[in-house]
Structure formats: C-alpha cells, structure tokens
Amino acid sequence: MKSKPEELKILRKKSMLKLKTYIPGFDSISEGGLPRGRTTLLSGTAGCGKTVIACQFLAEGIEQGGDNVVFITFEEPPQDIRDNMLGLGWDIAKWEKEGRWAFVDASASPEENVIEAGDYDLGALMARIEFAINKIGAKRVALDSLGAIFSQLSQNNVVRRELFRITSALKKMKVTSLLTAERVDEYGSISRFGVEEFVTDNVIVVRNVLTDEKRRRTIEILKFRGTTHQKGEWPFTIVPGKGMYIIALSEMQLKHISSKVRISSGNDVLDKMTNGGYFRDSIILLSGATGTGKTLTATTFLAETCRRGERALMFAFEESNSQLTRNAAGWGIDFENYEKQGFLKIVCAYPETMGLEDHLHHMKMVIEEFKPSRIAVDSLTALERISTVRSYREFVIGLTSLIKENQMAGLFTATTPTLMGGSSVTEEHISTITDSIILLRYVEMFGEMKRGITVLKMRGSLHDKVIRQYTINHEGLQIGSAFRNVSGILSGNIKHFTPHETDRLQDMFKGDES
Amino acid sequence: MNKMKVKIKLILYITGHTSKSLRAIKTLRDLSEGELKDIIEIKIIDVLEHPQLAEDDKILATPTLVKTLPGPIRRIIGDLSETEKVLLGLDIRYIEHRKISKS
C-alpha cells in the first residue's frame, strides 16, 4: 500500500506490455517477459536448447501463469516431445488430458512421400492452428522450428509468405508466441531461410559457443520493438528436472542490508586482528599458497558456527568429505558429530563435473535448502581452471551476490600460484567484491620457512596492519607476534635488517624527537 | 481389364472456395469422368469446416489430395495443375495415357 499511484501506473503499464515467462532469470533480462500478444523469434544453432526453452515457456505458463497453451511442432513428433520433456519434469500428456496443452503436429512423416503438383498455400495449417488455439483458449503458443517446414516443402517463397500470414494471424488472435529458428553460425546471420524478415519485431538469440573445450550457453535479446530489455549475452544452463536457468547478473542489486554484528572467526587472535571478528554478512577472501593453512582457517570458521548452534555449509572442490573430517579431527574439531547433528553440511565435487553455470545453480539449490548462516568455499581457485575468465567472473559475482542476498557470511579461499608473495586471477576479479582480505604468506628467514598472516583490508572497520608470524599445530592456527626486521614479505622479495642497523636508524631520529 | 475394377479412394482437402481449391476440384472432376468413372471415389473436405479432420490427417498445405486406397498412402499437394505429376502420384498414368491418346 506504500507505492505511490504513479509507480502503480507505471507498473500496470509495464505488465500490459509484457507477459511473464516465469523462466528463471528471463523475466529479469527481458524486463518483464515476452512482449504480450506478439511473436518473438528465438534463433540458435543446433543443440542450444531451443525446443526446451519453447516448451518451458509453455510449461511455466501452465504451472505458474494459469494459461492454456498450444505447441506447433514442425520438427519432432509430439510423442518425442512428450518423452523428452518428462525428463525436465513436465508432464505434457497429463496437461493434454486436462485440455490445457494442445499439439499441432506438422512434423514430417519419414515414410510418406509428398508430391507437389501445382500451387498451394498453408491454409490447412493455419486453420488447424486457429482451431487448436480457439478450442482450448490458448494464451501462449510455441512454434518449433520454422526451418523444418522449409525442408518439407520445396517452394520456399510460398512457405515464407505463408509463415508471414500465420504470424500475423497469431498477432491478431492476441496470443503471445515464441517461434524458434535454426541458425548456421553462432555469430552470423540471424537465421537460416531468412525467417527473421517476417517476425522482426522481437528477436532473441541463443548461443552455444565452444571456447577452451568448454561449451558455454548464452542468451541475448537482440531486439524488442517498442519496449525495453537488458542488453548483452547472459549465461544460462539447462537443469535436469527444471529447465532453463539464466544467470541474470542484472537481477542482482547492490542493496544488501549491512549489519554491524560481528562474528567470530574461531580464532581469538584473528578476531583481535579484525577488531572483533568479521561482519556477519561479509565476504572474506583468504589468500595463500598451498600449505599455508587456508583449509584450516575455513574449518575453524565453520566449526565456530556449529559450536554456536548455527548451520554451516562447505563447498569443497579439492578434498573429499572424509579427508576434510580427518583433517579437522587432527585440529581437535569433530566435523562428523556436527554433521550428524545437522549443523554442518559438506558438499564435495570435482570442479570438472559440471560447468560453472551448473555449479552456481547447484550451490544455489543447496543454500536455499540448507539455509546456512555461514558458507566456506574451498577453494575458489579450483573453479578457475574449468572455465574462461569471463564466465569465472560472472560466477564469482553471482555467488557473492547470492551469499549477500541471503545475509550470510562467506569465506572463500584462493590459492596463489607462487609460494612467496604473488596473486591469482581470483584475487584480481574478486578483490573489489570482497569485504575483507586476509593474506597467508610464506616468509623465508635465514634458511627457514616461516608463515605470516595479515589483514589486508576490512571494509568499515579498523584492523591490525602488521604481518604476524604464525604456526600450525594440533590445536590449529597459532598466531604470534609481528615480524621484525623484515620487509618485502608480500612482494616475495624479502629483505632482512640486522638489529644493529635498525637500532642505529632509531638512534638517528632520537635527537629530533627530544 | 480386371485391374480397372480396383477402387481408387481419394480425399481432397481444401480451404474454402479459393481459386486453388476450384482448380483442384475441376482437375479431379475431369479425371473422374471418362474411363475412371467407375473406379474413382472422391471425398472433398473443407478444413475450415472440419479442422479436426485436417489435424488427424496432418494436413499442412491446401489443396492436398490424399490417396487412401490402394496403398501405399500418398499425398499430392497443390492445385493439381501439373496433371502428369498427379497421375504419377496416383499410379494411374497408364489409364490416363490411353484416355489422352483417344481424344
């Protein structure tokens, strides 16, 4: 009731223009859905998921929008579609029985031999479409795929003219329709046979690009005539049992509520270094070379959560559940017990098992189901190697936003490629997103490897600026005093000063102070 | 002459009385008169009136001529102005040849 009348007016106007698709992420990138009462062309190469998207548009329309739908198929026979979509959780046969879904089967029969003798038009098809729409009072129509009809009939100009007639008839019937078409190249002409010429109002392009031996699916709204949409390509994935899931970064807004509540890291000295602990809804990046105690710090962080009776979630991409539990036991933390009590959940997966988009979707599902108050990802760098820099960045932003939206604390670990000093791609991409950065570094001192910890940044809080020595023993991380007489730890280019020299320098300024 | 008694069953799907429909009907009439008179059986369906029949038979284009008997089922689309192709499609070319040579 708080909304001003003008805002309501704008909202109403917007909803009149667009029909919500209910496809996750799509309504956000399209700023409300598909243009209502119009035809939209969905163009893409083979295997990019056109049929799934078309079916999802209808299925979500039935399930969430309460609309009846018609599916006109030129390519696959209805039985194939029924079978395939059952795997995505859509029981088309049931909807058909309920009179909510109707097929217009215009697929080619392989055993039939068609002879063309003279002029023809697609009047019968048109009559069937109109009949099906009127019979069940359909609001949504999908047509899959336009290219297939060109291969059924030889007179392409006739087909093109007739399809134009059909699209205008669909518009006249005020149904919102999605037409799919094949395209030859990922970045070439919009579609084969030039079908875009007669449905030029709205064009969506779906891509399935192969980069670095990885398939990456993206969706782009090329144009929506007379209405707005988000620009550019958005990554998406097709999830078994759900369908298309678009990672719409535009959906994420920088308006997370910030809290001043501090939470303990599980390590007293580290809490002191951060001036009382991390903020409750912050992202902490823990950077260090292999063996510097990143997993240990993450383990302590999670154990602290469980000890407080809150739920903690760990995504492990490098070690297995039993390995993590064993290591935790070595530091006196009983992960097994916490897991049994339901305070802890460890999700282990090799990064290579799926694409980043799928990882993100999977993590989202787990987070929504488990509702943890803290999350650790060990390590984020492991995910770096399975994707392109671009999709990695999108993944990190997506994950960060997901964690912040849910008001959780997130601890990411990042492995530096070099032992001494150095930074990784992870840090480059997310250092500005994270609220706190803690560095764990090796320090070589007189032929001995020591370890140093420092809080590099902490948003909105004072923090310890010195680099402290630490050791790892059976009780975990033992942070000691600051390094003295050493410089260049972070750059990996360490210089030692003999005590004699520093004393001498201090002596030099003594005179000025007095 | 025994072969001549084989029934040929045809269904012609049309959309209303367009020029194409009328041309197709006329061609069929011409065919069914004369020698084929006794063996040919034609049914005309207007898909605008019976869209469900068109759906059942998966008719896309109009006019479409479907030969249901004798098998195999064959479809001929178009206004049937290319008579040669029609006859070829209906497997009655030899009969027609005789008819044409007579006239």
Side-chain angles (χ1 to χ4, degrees):
Chain A
M1 296 307 279
K2 265 184 191 169
S3 307
K4 289 169 195 157
E6 293 142 57
E7 278 175 24
L8 268 173
K9 216 191 226 168
I10 294 166
L11 257 170
R12 206 170 296 142
K13 202 177 167 194
K14 266 190 183 165
S15 66
M16 267 165 68
L17 288 171
K18 303 258 177 85
L19 176 77
K20 260 189 154 187
T21 59
Y22 301 101
I23 296 174
F26 186 84
D27 295 337
S28 160
I29 64 163
S30 60
E31 294 180 356
L34 288 181
R36 190 183 287 264
R38 299 194 177 206
T39 54
T40 304
L41 181 72
L42 179 79
S43 183
T45 49
C48 67
K50 293 186 298 294
T51 308
V52 172
I53 298 168
C55 282
Q56 192 170 3
F57 166 63
L58 302 184
E60 302 285 5
I62 290 180
E63 286 194 319
Q64 299 192 51
D67 297 336
N68 288 352
V69 304
V70 168
F71 193 103
I72 305 153
T73 174
F74 288 133
E75 213 160 16
E76 290 173 82
Q79 194 49 46
D80 284 10
I81 296 172
R82 282 183 206 117
D83 293 346
N84 295 344
M85 296 308 148
L86 210 54
L88 286 158
W90 304 320
D91 192 352
I92 296 173
K94 193 191 95 197
W95 289 329
E96 279 180 286
K97 258 182 230 141
E98 292 168 358
R100 311 198 62 190
W101 181 301
F103 272 113
V104 173
D105 181 9
S107 60
S109 320
E111 69 277 1
E112 237 166 60
N113 170 9
V114 176
I115 297 162
E116 291 181 20
D119 288 344
Y120 54 87
D121 54 43
L122 297 181
L125 177 67
M126 181 116 139
R128 286 165 62 190
I129 294 173
E130 280 181 2
F131 172 64
I133 291 172
N134 291 332
K135 190 173 72 182
I136 64 168
K139 289 254 166 58
R140 299 178 181 218
V141 173
L143 204 153
D144 180 65
S145 89
L146 289 175
I149 195 165
F150 284 92
S151 50
Q152 284 187 43
L153 301 166
S154 68
Q155 294 184 26
N156 283 2
N157 56 332
V158 173
V159 175
R160 204 170 286 127
R161 189 190 66 217
E162 289 297 303
L163 284 177
F164 178 60
R165 218 152 63 94
I166 289 172
T167 53
S168 16
L170 288 173
K171 257 189 239 176
K172 231 174 260 165
M173 282 187 275
K174 300 245 185 306
V175 292
T176 308
S177 43
L178 191 65
L179 282 57
T180 72
E182 282 251 313
R183 65 200 299 239
V184 188
D185 305 309
E186 292 294 357
Y187 293 93
S189 61
I190 292 174
S191 65
R192 205 181 274 177
F193 306 110
V195 281
E196 70 274 11
E197 281 161 32
F198 54 81
V199 274
T200 41
D201 282 0
N202 314 297
V203 178
I204 299 171
V205 174
V206 189
R207 296 190 177 91
N208 189 20
V209 186
L210 186 68
T211 29
D212 295 343
E213 300 182 0
K214 296 276 178 334
R215 282 273 172 205
R216 185 180 136 89
R217 283 172 165 154
T218 60
I219 183 164
E220 180 190 6
I221 297 172
L222 211 59
K223 64 172 177 183
F224 268 3
R225 188 165 282 174
T227 160
T228 57
H229 61 88
Q230 301 275 335
K231 283 153 195 82
E233 291 180 51
W234 305 96
F236 76 91
T237 177
I238 290 168
V239 186
K242 287 227 169 69
M244 183 197 209
Y245 167 76
I246 303 172
I247 297 166
L249 296 179
S250 62
E251 209 171 36
M252 299 156 188
Q253 292 167 323
L254 266 178
K255 57 174 188 192
H256 321 293
I257 306 151
S258 282
S259 81
K260 284 236 175 289
V261 180
R262 303 267 186 164
I263 54 168
S264 170
S265 65
N267 186 308
D268 294 341
V269 189
L270 194 55
D271 284 350
K272 264 180 214 145
M273 286 173 78
T274 52
N275 203 25
Y278 312 127
F279 284 117
R280 196 182 61 197
D281 52 352
S282 64
I283 304 284
I284 305 123
L285 179 69
L286 200 63
S287 151
T290 171
T292 46
K294 293 185 302 298
T295 308
L296 166 61
T297 315
T299 305
T300 328
F301 175 73
L302 295 178
E304 176 65 21
T305 324
C306 300
R307 207 165 23 242
R308 281 164 192 267
E310 290 172 33
R311 278 186 299 277
L313 177 63
M314 181 166 201
F315 292 106
F317 295 107
E318 284 173 340
E319 289 168 287
S320 70
N321 193 331
S322 63
Q323 211 174 347
L324 285 164
T325 312
R326 188 197 65 201
N327 294 349
W331 299 309
I333 294 163
D334 194 355
F335 260 12
E336 217 175 338
N337 192 25
Y338 288 141
E339 248 192 315
K340 253 184 227 150
Q341 290 174 335
F343 288 130
L344 179 73
K345 191 180 178 89
I346 302 175
V347 180
C348 299
Y350 271 111
E352 284 81 3
T353 49
M354 44 187 158
L356 273 188
E357 290 82 16
D358 293 299
H359 271 299
L360 184 61
H361 179 263
H362 178 234
M363 289 165 109
K364 189 180 176 179
M365 291 297 117
V366 176
I367 289 170
E368 278 170 6
E369 194 197 313
F370 190 62
K371 293 189 179 63
S373 60
R374 295 192 197 182
I375 288 179
V377 179
D378 186 45
S379 76
L380 209 53
T381 329
L383 293 168
E384 202 181 286
R385 66 170 185 259
I386 62 158
S387 68
T388 59
V389 171
R390 201 195 142 138
S391 52
Y392 180 66
R393 189 170 52 226
E394 282 162 351
F395 167 78
V396 172
I397 295 170
L399 181 62
T400 319
S401 168
L402 182 64
I403 290 174
K404 288 203 161 190
E405 262 167 38
N406 288 292
Q407 301 244 338
M408 301 177 292
L411 184 97
F412 301 157
T413 68
T415 314
T416 49
T418 50
L419 280 185
M420 315 280 286
S423 64
S424 64
V425 181
T426 307
E427 283 151 70
E428 266 171 51
H429 286 307
I430 72 165
S431 55
T432 51
I433 300 166
T434 55
D435 301 300
S436 308
I437 299 180
I438 294 168
L439 301 182
L440 303 170
R441 289 288 184 267
Y442 281 115
V443 185
E444 189 193 336
M445 283 188 82
F446 308 114
E448 198 187 330
M449 271 301 195
K450 299 205 167 176
R451 298 179 176 111
I453 182 169
T454 185
V455 179
L456 190 69
K457 90 163 183 189
M458 196 172 168
R459 270 189 193 138
S461 169
L462 291 170
H463 59 87
D464 198 8
K465 307 284 193 301
V466 299
I467 304 172
R468 291 179 181 276
Q469 266 191 70
Y470 71 90
T471 53
I472 295 170
N473 66 7
H474 64 280
E475 281 179 334
L477 213 65
Q478 305 297 329
I479 303 173
S481 57
F483 278 102
R484 290 183 70 89
N485 309 322
V486 177
S487 75
I489 292 174
L490 294 186
S491 65
N493 186 14
I494 295 164
K495 279 194 181 124
H496 301 284
F497 301 94
T498 56
H500 170 71
E501 206 173 341
T502 36
D503 286 348
R504 200 168 56 88
L505 284 167
Q506 272 168 359
D507 286 344
M508 276 173 70
F509 296 106
K510 249 182 192 163
D512 294 344
E513 280 170 54
S514 57
Chain B
M1 283 325 254
N2 211 13
K3 238 184 178 165
M4 295 282 284
K5 275 173 192 144
V6 175
K7 270 265 182 198
I8 300 175
K9 273 195 179 172
L10 302 173
I11 304 173
L12 179 70
Y13 288 93
I14 53 162
T15 39
H17 296 282
T18 62
S19 55
K20 287 192 203 82
S21 309
L22 296 177
R23 266 204 298 279
I25 293 169
K26 190 179 179 297
T27 313
L28 272 189
R29 287 245 164 85
D30 289 351
L31 254 183
S32 59
E33 281 159 16
E35 273 185 61
L36 294 172
K37 203 173 184 176
D38 302 321
I39 59 161
I40 215 160
E41 190 186 300
I42 301 165
K43 193 171 152 193
I44 296 172
I45 296 174
D46 188 344
V47 294
L48 296 180
E49 286 165 29
H50 307 283
Q52 188 61 52
L53 292 176
E55 181 66 49
D56 298 341
D57 230 356
K58 290 179 62 177
I59 305 298
L60 273 190
T62 39
T64 294
L65 182 66
V66 182
K67 184 191 74 168
T68 52
L69 267 179
I73 295 174
R74 191 154 287 167
R75 286 160 189 250
I76 301 165
I77 61 173
D79 61 6
L80 310 182
S81 56
E82 294 169 47
T83 327
E84 274 292 294
K85 281 187 179 171
V86 178
L87 299 176
L88 202 74
L90 295 178
D91 288 329
I92 46 175
R93 197 159 172 258
Y94 67 101
I95 307 166
E96 191 61 16
H97 255 289
R98 286 218 321 240
K99 189 183 148 198
I100 290 166
S101 54
K102 255 193 268 171
S103 59

